């Protein structure tokens, strides 16, 4: 069974938010039985992944080496969330080249996303690279971007990139510099596990006996 929990008051800062437990696709009888789970028994983490992350031409995380369930979920904002905490948690994944491109001609779009992520209590940008690779590239330019015919380098100037990163942080969307792809995937799973465990245990009441609309 997949258990969906909704933290209906956590976003308002309540110490003990009300829990809603929903078993998707089961009868009302089965729902009542599962609804009696003790709030101290941690249900499994389920990650919501935007379908675009695994569409053709994309290389989103599959989490194959982790014991975690993943379901497709159109998000609009961000690429990953925790099922049951969708209104609180969003993480946007950025590979190195995508990050640099976002901080060049697409800076306004990047900052708009930072504003949107900043509306979530745990909105983060997860970079599969190190800060210096983006902010201080070798020789002052990004080697994978070929120069223009006149020799001028393509892409934003590193100082503009650094300024955009500061703006994103001020807007409430800090960047997590994981270093590489595998480390970023590990961080995402562990971060979600910590959030899920901490805020499930903080809850004290389970709603039993009726499906939620």
């Amino acid at each position: 069974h997949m258990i969906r929990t909704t933290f209906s008051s956590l976003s308002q800062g309540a110490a003990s938010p009300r829990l809603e437990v929903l078993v998707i696709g089961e009868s009302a009888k089965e729902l009542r039985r599962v609804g009696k789970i003790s709030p101290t028994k941690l249900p499994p983490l389920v990650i919501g992944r935007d379908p675009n992350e695994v569409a053709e031409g994309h290389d989103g995380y599959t989490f194959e080496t982790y014991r975690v369930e993943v379901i497709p979920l159109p998000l609009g904002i961000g690429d990953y969330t925790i099922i049951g905490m969708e209104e609180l948690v969003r993480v946007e994944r950025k590979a190195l080249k995508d990050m640099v491109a976002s901080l060049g001609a697409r800076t306004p779009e990047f900052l708009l996303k930072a504003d949107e992520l900043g509306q979530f209590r745990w909105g983060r940008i997860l970079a599969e690279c190190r800060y210096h690779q983006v902010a201080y590239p070798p020789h002052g330019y990004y080697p994978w971007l070929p120069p223009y015919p006149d020799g001028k380098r393509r892409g934003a100037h590193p100082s503009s990139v650094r300024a955009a990163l500061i703006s994103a942080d001020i807007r409430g969307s800090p960047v997590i510099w994981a270093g590489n792809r595998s480390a970023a995937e590990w961080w995402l799973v562990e971060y979600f596990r910590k959030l899920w465990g901490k805020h499930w245990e903080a809850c004290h009441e389970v709603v039993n006996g009726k499906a939620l609309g």
Side-chain angles (χ1 to χ4, degrees):
H1 304 304
M2 186 175 77
I3 300 175
R4 173 172 179 160
T5 57
T6 301
F7 293 78
S8 57
S9 60
L10 185 56
S11 58
Q12 283 73 45
S16 300
R18 184 178 180 83
L19 269 181
E20 299 170 335
V21 175
L22 170 62
V23 178
I24 298 175
E26 296 291 345
S27 67
K29 180 178 179 180
E30 181 71 5
L31 181 60
R32 284 193 294 271
R33 184 183 68 79
V34 176
K36 295 177 182 178
I37 292 176
S38 167
T40 62
K41 182 177 180 181
L42 182 67
L45 168 69
V46 181
I47 295 177
R49 178 182 59 202
D50 192 284
N52 289 330
E53 273 289 276
V54 289
E56 184 176 357
H58 294 261
D59 58 350
Y61 303 138
T62 61
F63 305 104
E64 291 180 354
T65 60
Y66 300 93
R67 299 180 63 182
V68 60
E69 183 179 357
V70 184
I71 65 170
L73 181 66
L75 294 175
I77 302 173
D79 300 315
Y80 300 91
T81 188
I82 299 172
I83 297 301
M85 297 179 68
E86 299 96 322
E87 302 303 316
L88 299 167
V89 180
R90 295 295 170 91
V91 173
E92 173 91 7
R93 180 184 68 88
K94 289 289 184 185
L96 171 59
K97 293 182 180 180
D98 186 26
M99 175 67 90
V100 171
S102 296
L103 295 167
R106 289 160 44 195
T107 296
E109 177 186 344
F110 176 81
L111 293 179
L112 176 60
K113 285 187 176 181
D115 279 331
E116 294 172 338
L117 284 169
Q119 298 173 14
F120 295 87
R121 183 168 179 181
W122 293 288
R124 301 289 185 270
I125 299 169
L126 178 57
E128 299 175 345
C129 54
R130 298 185 183 278
Y131 175 74
H132 70 82
Q133 292 177 283
V134 174
Y136 297 94
H139 312 296
Y141 62 85
Y142 304 100
W144 61 85
L145 296 175
Y148 289 107
D150 62 2
K152 292 184 178 180
R153 303 302 307 190
R154 297 177 187 266
H157 191 279
S159 62
S160 298
V161 168
R162 294 192 291 270
L165 288 171
I166 292 172
S167 295
D169 188 88
I170 292 173
R171 291 165 189 246
S173 299
V175 179
I176 306 301
W177 300 99
N180 57 57
R181 177 181 172 81
S182 61
E185 185 177 21
W186 176 89
W187 181 91
L188 183 62
V189 173
E190 290 303 308
Y191 184 61
F192 279 5
R193 282 175 174 164
K194 294 291 186 183
L195 284 177
W196 183 238
K198 177 178 175 60
H199 294 289
W200 171 266
E201 292 170 354
C203 300
H204 72 288
E205 184 175 8
V206 176
V207 176
N208 295 319
K210 69 175 182 178
L212 307 172

